[in-house]
Amino acid sequence: MIQTGQAGIDIKGMNRKKIYEFLREARSVSKQDIVYALKLSLPTVTQNLQEFQEKGLVDTTGRIGHTGGRNATAFSFISDARVAIGIDIQKHHNTVVIVDLDGRVIEKIRKPVHFATTDEYYKMLGAEVAEILEKAKIDPAKVLGVGMGVPGLISKDGKEVVYGRILNFTGETSENFSRYIPFRTLLFNDANAAGSAEMWSSHNIRNAFYICLSDHIGGAVILDNKVYEGDDQRSGEIGHMTVVADGRPCYCGQYGCFETYCCASLLSEAAGGDLDSFFGKLEAGDKRITELWNSYLHYLAFAVHNIRMLFDCNVILGGYVGAYIDKYMEPLYEMVRQRDMFSEEPGAYLLPCRYKTEAIAAGAALPFVEEFFHGI
């Protein structure tokens, strides 16, 4: 049973969150607008706005005109009052971003670098975090934390890589990664991070399967706007779903994995190592590239159909290839239609991603933003 004193604290906390969320949505409003919209007392609103100002979360930017009296002070949400940093760590490069309280990437740097579990590499990560803060002119005191999206399975507490065959770093810890980073640091599976970023931008979707079509393929199962990680944090490992019995060899030791038919590197390597060049040649009608792309869509349609049969939810195509796929959805829809047994229209559930760039890095940062809102 909740004691009266605790209940009072809970009500105060709920009112505080309501006011802050209203400011975030409205961007700039008067005190009277908040009182009217949320049906709260003027003293309650006044006290909370004062606390927000003291913490640097809102600002008074001007006046709002009202008929029949003096203009009211406008209180505005400050989107970069706090920020989070996300890092997408891959075998041959990494990307560092800063996201604000709107989940918007406000700065990024991308550098070619070879991954290694060495002190030199960790020192480089620390230097990149310092570099991006300097580039964006962000006060380090505003940083909520640093999230790292990596191609591996991560422990539930975000502190250890429990399976990391791609980078050969099983057992690696967030403590090691953050050796030269003066902020709280957590690790996230890269596909789960990208899926979280997509759901952040897709407010009308609650359940989805996100396919991360990057150099390695991953997936994220989103249920009620939360990543379902599975009993052992292995949920969504679509890259190792068999699409061709005894097919192409996969790095995992098996054959015919989806990874071997639809990874982004399959396309980029066909165009000299550059994915943008691949799609340029595709647009130009290159016969060899077109044949490869049609084969790619064939196996992608196979996977999409299987996911739809299993989960009966939206399927979102993201990752490196997902950033280009908008204009090629129609032929993919047709391939999916040919397998459908329910006469569904694929366009109603099969969607290109909205978060086109740096989804993994941004998604690794967003949990810190969400945590901030929960604790406001």
Side-chain angles (χ1 to χ4, degrees):
M1 182 174 179
I2 298 176
Q3 297 179 356
T4 304
Q6 183 64 45
I9 294 173
D10 290 342
I11 291 172
K12 287 182 179 179
M14 287 190 293
N15 288 338
R16 184 166 53 251
K17 289 179 181 179
K18 284 181 182 178
I19 294 169
Y20 191 65
E21 186 61 32
F22 184 78
L23 278 165
R24 182 184 171 209
E25 293 294 327
R27 312 309 290 185
S28 183
V29 293
S30 72
K31 189 185 303 182
Q32 290 78 8
D33 288 334
I34 300 173
V35 169
Y36 179 78
L38 301 181
K39 295 179 173 54
L40 297 173
S41 70
L42 182 59
T44 294
V45 172
T46 299
Q47 180 183 347
N48 279 282
L49 287 175
Q50 183 177 340
E51 290 179 6
F52 292 152
Q53 283 185 281
E54 290 171 355
K55 294 178 181 179
L57 299 177
V58 302
D59 192 15
T60 51
T61 56
R63 316 290 286 186
I64 296 177
H66 291 278
T67 59
R70 294 184 303 171
N71 289 343
T73 300
F75 292 87
S76 298
F77 176 81
I78 303 175
S79 60
D80 63 352
R82 300 290 186 273
V83 299
I85 296 172
I87 308 177
D88 174 12
I89 293 178
Q90 300 296 327
K91 184 178 289 188
H92 300 302
H93 73 270
N94 57 36
T95 304
V96 186
V97 304
I98 296 177
V99 301
D100 63 14
L101 294 176
D102 287 320
R104 181 174 57 95
V105 174
I106 59 175
E107 191 60 81
K108 68 176 181 178
I109 56 175
R110 179 185 171 103
K111 292 186 177 181
V113 58
H114 295 290
F115 177 82
T117 54
T118 63
D119 190 69
E120 181 182 5
Y121 182 83
Y122 302 136
K123 189 176 292 185
M124 179 273 302
L125 285 179
E128 288 188 345
V129 168
E131 178 186 344
I132 198 168
L133 288 173
E134 175 64 28
K135 184 179 179 182
K137 302 195 181 319
I138 295 290
D139 181 352
K142 293 182 177 182
V143 177
L144 298 170
V146 177
M148 299 185 181
V150 297
L153 302 181
I154 309 301
S155 62
K156 201 168 186 65
D157 61 6
K159 294 182 178 180
E160 184 180 355
V161 179
V162 297
Y163 182 87
R165 189 162 181 172
I166 292 173
L167 296 182
N168 192 28
F169 69 145
T170 300
E172 194 60 1
T173 64
S174 60
E175 183 178 359
N176 281 338
F177 275 103
S178 62
R179 197 175 295 174
Y180 297 97
I181 298 174
F183 306 109
R184 180 182 168 212
T185 305
L186 292 173
L187 300 172
F188 299 94
N189 169 264
D190 53 2
N192 285 346
S196 296
E198 183 66 23
M199 296 306 287
W200 180 281
S201 66
S202 303
H203 300 295
N204 62 330
I205 297 176
R206 299 193 65 81
N207 302 316
F209 193 107
Y210 178 89
I211 305 178
C212 189
L213 298 166
S214 292
D215 288 343
H216 294 280
I217 290 182
V221 181
I222 313 291
L223 300 177
D224 197 23
N225 265 331
K226 297 182 179 64
V227 173
Y228 170 72
E229 296 180 335
D231 293 341
D232 297 297
Q233 286 69 57
R234 300 172 187 168
S235 172
E237 281 296 308
I238 188 178
H240 301 287
M241 176 179 72
T242 302
V243 293
V244 178
D246 303 318
R248 297 171 185 169
C250 180
Y251 73 86
C252 73
Q254 300 301 320
Y255 294 84
C257 292
F258 182 44
E259 166 100 11
T260 64
Y261 292 88
C262 284
C263 63
S265 56
L266 191 71
L267 305 181
S268 59
E269 287 171 5
D274 183 67
L275 195 59
D276 195 55
S277 176
F278 174 88
F279 282 99
K281 291 182 178 182
L282 181 62
E283 286 295 297
D286 184 291
K287 183 178 179 181
R288 180 178 64 91
I289 293 295
T290 299
E291 289 176 353
L292 177 58
W293 180 241
N294 288 336
S295 173
Y296 184 98
L297 290 181
H298 168 78
Y299 291 109
L300 180 56
F302 190 97
V304 167
H305 171 72
N306 288 347
I307 291 169
R308 180 66 177 176
M309 292 300 98
L310 282 171
F311 291 97
D312 187 31
C313 67
N314 289 285
V315 180
I316 301 173
L317 305 178
Y320 300 158
V321 176
Y324 293 88
I325 208 163
D326 291 64
K327 62 172 65 175
Y328 306 104
M329 293 301 289
E330 281 303 327
L332 180 58
Y333 289 153
E334 182 54 35
M335 292 181 186
V336 173
R337 279 191 201 101
Q338 292 172 10
R339 296 184 176 276
D340 179 63
M341 61 180 287
F342 295 118
S343 299
E344 288 187 297
E345 175 49 51
Y349 66 84
L350 179 56
L351 312 170
C353 63
R354 296 177 61 180
Y355 222 113
K356 300 296 184 187
T357 59
E358 318 312 346
I360 293 173
L366 287 173
F368 294 98
V369 175
E370 291 180 345
E371 183 181 66
F372 174 76
F373 284 131
H374 288 316
I376 191 68

